[in-house]
């Protein structure tokens, strides 16, 4: 061993912190290639009685050096924490699995029971995951609470191997009467993509013990996000959820909003740079308004969220007693929108809660509306194949949730002579003397046929029916009853579903920015008159009125051709909102 190497190691050991059961060689920058280069380190490990934590991060360890260290660990049965991040800089990828197997085998042989394993920043790829596979399945990891694998380049293959190992660990530990109860999972920057995320989601659903999940920057799109959302519902103690820099789009955001309804202990939500978009943000605002009582931080930055949706989010978090920070920076608010958001927070004396808006993208252009379609559909074909089994598996669960929420999943009414809500809407919109006798029957059937799980269909029916309304016409009363039938069904659903319906309605009316190609309906005064009538009905709750009032107050200029009817609607909304105070 060269004198320089001996001197370097001696100096490092002299600065090693020893105490509380921990040996630390953190950040020494040692290049440990062979057994001789780690002789002093091995001696320290061997002599340390009651070793509970070993820090090797910030050095570079070769195969022979790892084997020598492993030999020293074979009798360390009290070892609980392995801080081994950034431990293979400059090593060939083929070397790393061998080194990891040696270390893992030693831990298993010692009979140690790990509580924390950190292998972040090692860039070992799928083969590296194979190197820890046996360790993860062994009794030494039945007690694991924290697993950190950030920036390891696992990829889809590594994600699947990891998921299988965790699943097997849970199976084996459960058979012994003490199931694996992993609490913290960190695996950012690993290119897990949809398949890797989907595989891990199955393992997470099985565990049910997670308190923190961090999987940012993994190239996960809406199918993978939906799989993770389903899994999170089975982890009721979740406190931190970090999915930063993945791609939700509308479908992913709605699934995640549904999942959050079940998470009463969540404290930190990071959906920044996730393309939550406007409809997703509106859905999240509904969940924020009715739940998440201990939330402290919410990050929805850089998500292409427009002003009305941002205001709804701000309104929803103002009543959170533990709320410390809401980040809406980098969205599409525009100067006026940023100012309106600041004012909304200042009025409630919560201005300090709002993060900087310095990177706002400005108001979106109308021509941007159709740009999203290609982005969302590029991977749909592959995604559909990959997640076909998952979708079938989740079907019964989603149906059960629908029943639990009082939603009519069937959508059929045996008393109706017509086949669909759209047909009934067309029937009602074209009254004649021959049809007048049947209007009451078809209006009644419409209430049963409209499905709370189909906001698009319900919005289409409502706009068709209300566009034909004329107060003086003989069919006017029947058409208002039809409007009531649709809205009573849709707004009697849980708040998340009713909010999604209203946001869909507003998108079709051109008052809220939607995702992809939207068939906007030219708004006429008759539709606003019907909404004015609806707002005054018992089924129209103050929270629904607040949503409409917020959007109309910011985007009402789009309805300037219906100014008189708009004024009536805004007055009714203002009155209904005041009922909440």
């Amino acid at each position: 061993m060269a004198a320089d190497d001996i001197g370097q190691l001696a100096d490092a050991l002299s600065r090693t912190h020893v105490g509380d059961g921990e040996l630390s060689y953190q950040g020494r920058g040692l290049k440990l290639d062979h057994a001789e280069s780690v002789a002093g380190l091995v001696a320290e490990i061997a002599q340390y009685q009651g070793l509970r934590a070993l820090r090797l991060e910030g050095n570079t360890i070769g195969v022979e050096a790892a084997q020598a260290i492993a030999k020293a660990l074979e009798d360390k049965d009290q070892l609980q924490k392995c801080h081994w991040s950034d431990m293979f800089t400059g090593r060939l990828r083929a070397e790393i699995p061998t080194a990891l197997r040696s270390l893992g085998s030693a831990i298993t042989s010692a009979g140690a029971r790990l509580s924390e394993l950190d292998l972040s920043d090692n860039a070992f790829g799928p083969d590296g995951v194979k190197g820890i596979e046996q360790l993860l399945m062994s009794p030494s990891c039945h007690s694991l609470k924290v697993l950190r694998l950030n920036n390891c380049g696992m990829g889809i293959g590594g994600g699947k191997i990891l998921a299988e190992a965790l699943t097997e660990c849970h199976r084996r530990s459960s058979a012994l009467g003490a199931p694996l109860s992993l609490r913290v999972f960190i695996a950012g920057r690993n290119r897990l993509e949809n398949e890797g995320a989907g595989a891990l989601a199955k393992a997470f659903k099985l565990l049910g013990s997670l308190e923190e999940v961090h999987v940012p920057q993994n190239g996960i799109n809406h199918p993978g996000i939906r799989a993770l959302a389903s899994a999170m519902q089975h982890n009721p103690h979740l406190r931190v959820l970090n999915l930063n820099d993945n791609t939700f789009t509308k479908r992913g955001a709605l699934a995640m909003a549904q999942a959050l309804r079940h998470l009463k202990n969540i404290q930190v939500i990071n959906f920044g740079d996730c393309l939550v978009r406007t409809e997703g943000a509106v859905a999240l605002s509904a969940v924020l308004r009715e739940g998440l009582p201990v939330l402290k931080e919410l990050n929805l930055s850089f998500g292409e969220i427009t002003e009305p949706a941002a205001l709804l989010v701000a309104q929803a978090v103002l009543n959170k007693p533990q709320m410390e920070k809401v980040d809406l920076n980098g969205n599409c608010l525009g100067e006026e929108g940023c100012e309106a958001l600041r004012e909304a927070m200042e009025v409630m004396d919560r201005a300090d809660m709002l993060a900087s808006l310095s990177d706002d993208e400005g108001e979106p252009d109308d021509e941007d509306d159709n740009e999203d379609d290609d982005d969302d559909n590029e991977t749909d074909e592959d995604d559909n194949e990959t997640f076909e089994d998952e979708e079938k598996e989740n079907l019964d669960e989603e149906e059960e949730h629908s029943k639990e929420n009082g939603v009519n999943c069937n959508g059929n009414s045996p008393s109706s002579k017509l086949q669909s809500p759209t047909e009934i809407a067309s029937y009602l919109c074209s009254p004649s003397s021959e049809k007048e006798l049947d209007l009451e029957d078809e209006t009644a059937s419409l209430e049963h046929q409209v499905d709370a799980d189909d906001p698009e269909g319900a919005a289409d029916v409502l706009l068709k029916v209300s566009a034909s309304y004329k107060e003086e016409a003989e069919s006017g009363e029947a058409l208002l009853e039809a409007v009531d039938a649709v809205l009573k069904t849709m707004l009697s659903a849980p708040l998340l579903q009713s909010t999604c319906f209203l946001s869909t309605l507003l998108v079709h009316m051109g008052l809220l920015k939607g995702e992809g190609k939207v068939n906007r309906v030219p708004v006429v005064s008759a539709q606003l008159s019907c909404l004015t009538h609806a707002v005054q009905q018992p089924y129209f709750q103050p929270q629904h009125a607040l949503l409409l009032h917020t959007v109309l107050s910011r985007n009402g200029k789009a309805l300037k051709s219906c100014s008189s009817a708009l004024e009536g609607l805004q007055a009714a909304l203002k009155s209904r909102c005041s009922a909440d105070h």
Side-chain angles (χ1 to χ4, degrees):
M1 185 175 185
D4 290 344
D5 291 338
I6 294 174
Q8 183 185 30
L9 181 58
D11 179 62
L13 292 174
S14 70
R15 292 182 282 114
T16 296
H17 168 68
V18 180
D20 298 326
E22 178 182 287
L23 278 176
S24 176
Y25 307 96
Q26 181 181 9
R28 305 302 186 207
L30 301 174
K31 190 173 186 296
L32 308 173
D33 296 323
H34 39 68
E36 286 186 355
S37 66
V38 293
L41 187 155
V42 165
E44 288 283 339
I45 294 174
Q47 293 169 12
Y48 198 103
Q49 299 300 312
L51 179 65
R52 293 196 297 272
L54 178 61
R55 309 196 76 105
L56 297 176
E57 64 265 54
N59 302 290
T60 176
I61 300 175
V63 172
E64 289 186 21
Q67 291 170 340
I69 294 171
K71 187 69 175 175
L73 290 174
E74 287 181 351
D75 64 350
K76 301 303 176 184
D77 59 347
Q78 295 183 49
L79 184 64
Q80 297 174 9
K81 299 180 180 181
C82 298
H83 301 283
W84 295 347
S85 64
D86 190 20
M87 203 171 68
F88 298 109
T89 302
R91 301 294 171 182
L92 295 175
R93 181 171 287 190
E95 296 180 70
I96 300 174
T98 303
L100 289 173
R101 286 190 187 96
S102 297
L103 293 166
S105 178
I107 292 171
T108 303
S109 297
R113 293 293 184 266
L114 297 184
S115 63
E116 183 170 349
L117 177 60
D118 184 358
L119 288 166
S120 298
D121 301 316
N122 278 312
F124 47 50
D127 289 341
V129 184
K130 291 180 181 178
I132 60 171
E133 185 178 16
Q134 292 303 315
L135 171 62
L136 289 174
M137 293 189 294
S138 75
S140 290
C141 282
H142 288 183
S143 53
L144 196 63
K145 302 300 180 186
V146 180
L147 179 58
R148 304 176 191 270
L149 294 168
N150 202 57
N151 191 31
C152 289
M154 289 190 290
I156 294 172
K160 289 181 175 181
I161 296 168
L162 176 61
E164 290 172 2
L166 291 174
T167 300
E168 181 61 16
C169 181
H170 185 271
R171 187 190 69 79
R172 294 181 184 182
S173 58
S174 296
L176 296 174
L180 171 65
S181 298
L182 189 68
R183 294 176 184 170
V184 178
F185 180 86
I186 301 175
R189 299 184 65 187
N190 271 293
R191 296 303 304 176
L192 294 171
E193 301 184 14
N194 292 331
E195 289 186 59
L200 285 168
K202 289 183 176 180
F204 294 163
K205 185 180 293 188
L206 186 65
L207 292 173
S209 58
L210 291 168
E211 296 179 10
E212 294 188 28
V213 174
H214 304 257
V215 284
Q217 201 173 341
N218 268 293
I220 307 171
N221 297 324
H222 67 82
I225 295 298
R226 294 203 309 271
L228 288 171
S230 177
M232 293 306 102
Q233 296 183 43
H234 295 265
N235 289 267
H237 302 295
L238 194 69
R239 294 182 293 105
V240 179
L241 182 57
N242 178 7
L243 295 171
N244 189 282
D245 198 10
N246 289 292
T247 306
F248 281 32
T249 60
K250 178 181 176 180
R251 281 173 280 187
L254 295 185
M256 198 55 70
Q258 175 65 33
L260 288 172
R261 293 181 66 244
H262 300 267
L263 303 176
K264 308 302 182 185
N265 297 301
I266 198 87
Q267 296 178 12
V268 178
I269 298 172
N270 186 345
F271 295 163
D273 204 11
C274 282
L275 285 185
V276 168
R277 293 184 172 145
T278 295
E279 290 179 274
V282 172
L284 289 170
S285 75
V287 179
L288 288 164
R289 184 170 293 279
E290 70 172 351
L292 311 185
V294 296
L295 187 66
K296 294 181 178 180
E297 295 183 21
L298 174 64
N299 185 348
L300 294 178
S301 60
F302 298 93
E304 294 188 2
I305 298 168
T306 54
E307 177 192 353
L311 284 171
L312 288 167
V313 169
Q315 292 164 358
V317 299
L318 288 174
N319 66 342
K320 304 295 177 192
Q322 299 184 41
M323 197 71 189
E324 298 172 0
K325 181 180 179 181
V326 56
D327 191 347
L328 290 162
N329 194 25
N331 284 298
C332 305
L333 311 184
E335 290 185 16
E336 291 185 6
C338 289
E339 187 58 32
L341 188 57
R342 293 189 189 98
E343 288 180 3
M345 304 298 280
E346 288 172 0
V347 166
M348 299 298 293
D349 197 26
R350 303 298 297 270
D352 58 333
M353 183 196 301
L354 184 64
S356 168
L357 298 174
S358 59
D359 295 316
D360 186 72
E361 297 285 343
E363 295 184 57
D365 297 327
D366 290 339
E367 54 266 27
D368 293 341
D369 287 356
N370 293 333
E371 290 179 0
D372 305 326
D373 246 18
D374 292 338
D375 295 341
D376 223 17
N377 292 332
E378 279 179 359
T379 59
D380 275 0
E381 186 173 338
D382 292 338
D383 291 337
N384 287 339
E385 288 183 17
T386 302
F387 286 90
E388 185 176 352
D389 292 338
E390 283 87 342
E391 292 296 333
K392 289 178 180 177
E393 185 179 306
N394 291 332
L395 188 60
D396 292 339
E397 183 177 328
E398 290 175 5
E399 185 175 338
E400 186 61 34
H401 283 151
S402 296
K403 291 178 181 177
E404 180 183 300
N405 294 330
V407 177
N408 173 21
C409 296
N410 190 11
N412 295 322
S413 172
S415 64
S416 176
K417 303 171 187 175
L418 302 175
Q419 298 301 309
S420 71
T422 301
E423 288 180 336
I424 297 175
S426 299
Y427 181 88
L428 291 169
C429 293
S430 305
S432 65
S433 57
E434 291 82 10
K435 295 179 180 177
E436 285 176 4
L437 293 176
D438 292 332
L439 283 175
E440 185 175 341
D441 290 341
E442 295 305 335
T443 297
S445 71
L446 187 60
E447 182 175 347
H448 298 288
Q449 286 226 0
V450 172
D451 190 343
D453 283 335
D454 182 19
E456 294 280 344
D460 181 60
V461 169
L462 182 65
L463 290 172
K464 282 182 178 179
V465 170
S466 59
S468 301
Y469 171 71
K470 292 181 182 178
E471 186 176 1
E472 66 279 4
E474 293 183 11
S475 61
E477 185 176 344
L479 288 173
L480 284 180
E481 289 177 0
V483 168
D484 288 336
V486 173
L487 288 176
K488 184 177 180 181
T489 296
M490 301 307 291
L491 300 185
S492 296
L495 184 58
L496 175 57
Q497 285 177 293
S498 60
T499 297
C500 289
F501 161 70
L502 288 175
S503 67
T504 299
L505 179 66
L506 291 166
V507 166
H508 282 282
M509 294 174 70
L511 298 174
L512 206 60
K513 181 176 169 59
E515 184 174 282
K517 294 178 180 178
V518 177
N519 294 321
R520 290 181 176 173
V521 177
V523 178
V524 295
S525 295
Q527 292 161 326
L528 302 185
S529 296
C530 287
L531 283 175
T532 302
H533 159 81
V535 167
Q536 301 172 64
Q537 306 309 309
Y539 59 73
F540 212 102
Q541 298 299 312
Q543 57 265 35
H544 301 138
L546 180 62
L547 192 162
L548 260 63
H549 185 267
T550 300
V551 173
L552 287 173
S553 66
R554 309 311 304 175
N555 289 345
K557 57 188 177 182
L559 302 177
K560 58 185 178 181
S561 62
C562 311
S563 57
S564 179
L566 176 60
E567 289 177 6
L569 176 56
Q570 288 178 319
L573 287 168
K574 186 175 181 180
S575 175
R576 195 75 176 108
C577 288
S578 65
D580 199 25
H581 300 290

